[in-house]
Amino acid sequence: MAYKLVIIVGSVRDGRFGPIVASWVAERAREHGGFEVEVVDLADVEIPLSLPAAPPKYAGNSYPRPAGMAVLTSALESADAVLVVTPEYNHSYPASLKAAIDWHFTQWTAKPVAFVSYGGAAGGRHAVLHLENVLTELHAVTIRDGLAFPNYFTAWGGRSSARPTRRRVRENAARPAGLVGGRAAVGAEGRTVPGLTFPRSVALHRETVGAAGHDGRVLLTHIVTASAELAATRSRKAKIATLAAVLRAAETAELPAVIAYLTGQTAQDRLGAGWRTLAELAVEPTPEPSVEVREVDAALTEVAAASGAGSVKRRADVLTALFTRLTRGEQEFLFRLVTGELRQGALEGVMVDAVAAAAEVDAADVRRAFMLSGKLSVTGYAAMTGGAARLAEFRLTLGRPIKPMLASPAESLDEAVAEHEHAIVEYKMDGARIQVHRQGTEVHVYTRTLREITASVSELVDLVRALPCESVVLDGETLALTDDGRPRPFQETMSRFGSTREEQVRALLLRPYFFDCLHLDGVDLLDAPLSERNAALRKVAGEHVIPGEVEPPDAAAVLDAAMAGGHEGVMVKDLTSPYAAGRRGRAWLKVKPVHTIDLVVLAVEWGHGRRTGTLSNLHLGARDPDGGPPIMVGKTFKGMTDELLAWQTKRFQEIETHRDSYTVYVRPEVVVEIELDGAQISTRYPGGLALRFARVVRYRPDKEAADADTIDTVRGLLRGDRAE
DNA sequence: CAACAAGCCTC
DNA sequence: CTCGGCC
DNA sequence: GGCCGAGGAGGCTTGTTG
């Protein structure tokens, strides 16, 4: 089968040298033989320059995709390797287009990509000269050394290509040597091509995903071993060393998948296969490990791509084929990975440090780039291939969401206020976090986890489009209101927020309440103090700014007003702090009034993971005022120390009435003091009520079931049902 | 065609 | 979303 | 101080099945 090279011509402006370079390369490839070449000229496929920087994932997303993007996408999907021909990278190259292509390359992680630039917008004579230089040099290298395209780039690109590798020549023998991959690519690893010097003005760039070829060489078993090592130690330093070693051994092409797997994720956004699907595979393991990370990634891509009728079976089939080739250890690892139960004591936080160690760069630089990209696979790849310089290129980009800053809980309003000399106190509203980007008339809305929801929140898009500015990035909360302007229960907001269906979208109107401004009309404000960001916010968002007061003389009054308005509480924020993207620091403190009630333990579930062998999750019941048996209103596993876990494991088996495979049922006589944020309507619990964020405070041996709080007390904790 | 199961999202 | 354990 | 993992509540969408 021919090896497919897709050449993307990215010169969409004037000049049009791109097609010339592309056809030249295509010709060389055809001469060589064994290649299928497809040239995609982006000028022809009409990708608008306003293309979003990070198109939403394809599966299950109704986001309107420009037709041109589909062309690009299908070309990339079919490619074995990609060459992008563009004007001077980073300059005349339209930023949005560059971002879109970048984004795609991070998706097709296993494909080698090279960029050629030819002088760009200089135009006229200079561009022609540059082009001539490029063609001459390419030709000379190809002929003179018998080396192929990527070798040339690898050699020229210099930097970290000398990373240790376990690749072996014979493993490449099956594929054609030539432009990409194959024997020649192996030969180039870590070498420089003698006699080649390139004047800077030639602007021949190497920007690759997978400089070493598309041929992954880290085996899944290596990942499994590393994961086991991580789980075996509690030392953070040891974990970092283990992870860094794997990163160093990996080829650049497989870095994204390796980073994903070792941080408990897959490279695919959502697989559509979880615990149930995997549990029913029942495939005999193979004795010897052989499967490469690349192969796992390819299989999972297929799983994620399955949709429509028959897709459930399709997913199972692909997974069965994969699992058949895995050892027992690999099967177990993949199972835990997919179900989100890796439990190796290291996720992204540790990986950030590991990337820094492996790439020999400052961890702070990695962390910052991660917060700005939102994807550690992207950041890690950049660090490993381009070092600190490449990391420094990450910045707040319109249309590319960053990780939102998070808040820490405060014990009380007093504590929160005391912690900051200059603070702003704002309402804490019970909705969903949103991050809004606007550039001109183009608006994008993202969730807390950076999922794009633009298409399903048109009312927010329209509203932001009308703000008095050219470009802006806002951080805020969105929720639905009742007719008299009070917040609807969280469940109703979510019903609207989570829906993409037309009827539902129209049924409830979402309102935004912005509380931060990260960018305004060309000025990045991430590092500016909150006071400055707040000024920008007020300037641009006007009536859509969340209620609050700067340095209020009476913070308690703000909290009272928030509660009277039916809100969750208040946030107390340090006015001098910068926007610490992705971090949960003390600069933002949340104050939410808590409620305490006494409930009866009805049963306890056996714990998992570090709680294996202990009775962990309590079933909680409220007293029936009519004298019936306690009415279950929820469960909790929170607030228990190890000591308490041990105690209750023993205690509840003493009053056990019966049990099933994972629950011990007990006589309803133990009273436990429960802290909670409130109650909500439930269609699942018999009393029609459920607890929100319930946690154990302490047991009440001094009380009996008859002393427990009633279901009416719980009902009184429904928000909006309180006398304030 | 309606009900259910699974997966993944919000808090 | 919360909490406790741990580096 | 920050990260990790223990697991809670509900909501929506998609595909399958009775």
Side-chain angles (χ1 to χ4, degrees), chain A residues 1 74 78 122 194 234 315-316 491 505 524 526 605:
Chain A
M1 203 175 90
S74 76
S78 67
R234 290 192 303 203
R315 287 194 190 98
Q491 288 159 300
V505 164
D524 281 353
L526 280 181
E605 294 173 16

Side-chain angles (χ1 to χ4, degrees), chain A residues 638-652:
Chain A
K638 297 183 186 117
M640 300 141 183
T641 61
D642 286 355
E643 189 187 359
L644 191 62
L645 280 168
W647 176 85
Q648 72 185 29
T649 300
K650 179 166 171 289
R651 175 75 182 118
F652 287 121

